[in-house]
Amino acid sequence: MRVFFKAVPILIIMLGFLVRPLDALGDSGHDVLLKKAYELKEQYKETEALAVYEQIIAADESNLEALCQASLLHSLMGNRFSDDTRKLNHFSTARTYAHRAFLLDSTGARSNYAMALSLASLAMVSGPKQRLALIGETKSYLDGALAADETYADAWHLLGRWYFKMANLNFAEITTYKVMLGGMTEKTATNKDAIYAMEMAILHNPNNLRYYFDLANIYQEMKNKEACVYTLQRAMAQNINLQTKEELELSRRCKIMLQAFQK
């Protein structure tokens, strides 16, 4: 079964905001830096944005926004490395920040999603037994995120990936999971559950190419050619403005998959 799933120097001075210690700026200083970090992130300057978020955290350990955003950025950046050691460093830090955010707001959509993403990311670089434990733990946080915000597209997407993984465990994984749970008491996940969650992600954010690509992969694994082609055609019809290397690569892979089916 297929598995889905610039470094830039830290600025010494950020528009003059770092001339004074961040503590001296007070809450207004935090707000200014949060705005700056958001702008950097929107410009796809994740390294610089992360540096600002972590500066805020160093001065204010209970800044929920900075904790959530730093966690999400570490999860995102960790995926860009090929070696597991660097991935693990980012993913572990992502979980640390997410857990701190969750302790501050255990019912919030952002804190729950940050926890879920960090656990799902760590699962990719863990051994078989720990991977299953982390995957199993992810579900409750996704449920928490969607209970707080049922339009949270990224949470729906990650839930779709969770359902697909659980619906396609091999015999050894099923056995191990049963032992860990003391019996399979949870509702069995299905590919239909995965499809529904992916469609909900697309409904709430139709401009994310990853959602279509992962949904198409589910249909491909199910050998549903018609649905796979239709999903890829929907993706292409969106004319999504591609900004990053990841998006360009996803677009290329979608086109290759579609061409292969249309031969």
Side-chain angles (χ1 to χ4, degrees):
M1 181 183 72
R2 295 177 180 83
V3 179
F4 293 170
F5 302 117
K6 151 176 117 136
V8 180
I10 296 174
L11 301 178
I12 298 174
I13 297 177
M14 187 73 72
L15 295 181
F17 299 141
L18 307 188
V19 174
R20 292 178 292 160
L22 185 56
D23 287 332
L25 292 171
D27 290 339
S28 63
H30 296 168
D31 291 341
V32 170
L33 284 181
L34 282 171
K35 183 176 184 294
K36 183 59 184 179
Y38 173 80
E39 291 171 351
L40 287 167
K41 185 179 177 184
E42 287 297 293
Q43 297 166 16
Y44 302 98
K45 297 178 180 179
E46 288 97 350
T47 303
E48 296 100 316
L50 178 58
V52 179
Y53 283 127
E54 291 189 325
Q55 183 194 1
I56 297 169
I57 293 168
D60 180 8
E61 295 181 353
S62 61
N63 192 296
L64 181 65
E65 177 68 12
L67 286 167
C68 289
Q69 293 295 339
S71 176
L72 296 177
L73 282 171
H74 272 291
S75 291
L76 172 69
M77 295 167 69
N79 273 314
R80 294 176 178 167
F81 293 103
S82 57
D83 65 286
D84 286 353
T85 298
R86 298 177 79 174
K87 283 179 179 288
L88 182 59
N89 288 337
H90 277 287
F91 297 156
S92 296
T93 304
R95 182 168 66 171
T96 297
Y97 284 145
H99 186 250
R100 287 166 62 178
F102 183 78
L103 291 177
L104 291 169
D105 184 13
S106 62
T107 61
R110 291 175 303 161
S111 53
N112 272 280
Y113 177 71
M115 276 298 299
L117 183 60
S118 67
L119 292 173
S121 299
L122 274 171
M124 295 189 300
V125 292
S126 301
K129 188 172 182 178
Q130 185 183 12
R131 180 169 63 249
L132 282 174
L134 289 167
I135 290 172
E137 191 178 350
T138 299
K139 178 64 161 52
S140 63
Y141 294 108
L142 289 173
D143 289 343
L146 290 169
D149 181 3
E150 63 181 10
T151 69
Y152 203 147
D154 282 344
W156 279 113
H157 171 248
L158 191 55
L159 181 61
R161 292 169 66 101
W162 185 90
Y163 276 130
F164 184 76
K165 173 60 181 176
M166 296 304 293
N168 295 277
L169 295 175
N170 59 41
F171 179 77
E173 289 173 326
I174 292 173
T175 301
T176 300
Y177 198 64
K178 283 182 177 180
V179 170
M180 288 191 303
L181 289 181
M184 214 74 155
T185 57
E186 295 186 349
K187 173 184 175 292
T188 303
T190 68
N191 287 329
K192 286 185 178 180
D193 293 326
I195 291 168
Y196 175 79
M198 289 294 181
E199 288 288 7
M200 290 297 288
I202 292 171
L203 173 67
H204 296 300
N205 182 9
N207 295 314
N208 191 311
L209 196 58
R210 167 61 67 179
Y211 302 164
Y212 297 95
F213 180 72
D214 283 355
L215 178 56
N217 271 283
I218 292 172
Y219 282 128
Q220 185 178 46
E221 292 293 334
M222 296 172 65
K223 303 188 186 306
N224 189 334
K225 176 181 175 181
E226 183 178 350
C228 183
V229 169
Y230 176 65
T231 300
L232 294 168
Q233 289 174 334
R234 288 166 63 195
M236 298 297 101
Q238 287 297 317
N239 293 316
I240 297 169
N241 185 22
L242 307 176
Q243 297 286 337
T244 66
K245 290 181 179 179
E246 287 90 346
E247 289 173 334
L248 289 168
E249 175 61 18
L250 276 173
S251 178
R252 186 186 71 84
R253 294 170 70 180
C254 283
K255 290 174 182 177
I256 291 174
M257 190 185 301
L258 184 57
Q259 289 169 0
F261 278 117
Q262 292 179 329
K263 285 182 178 179

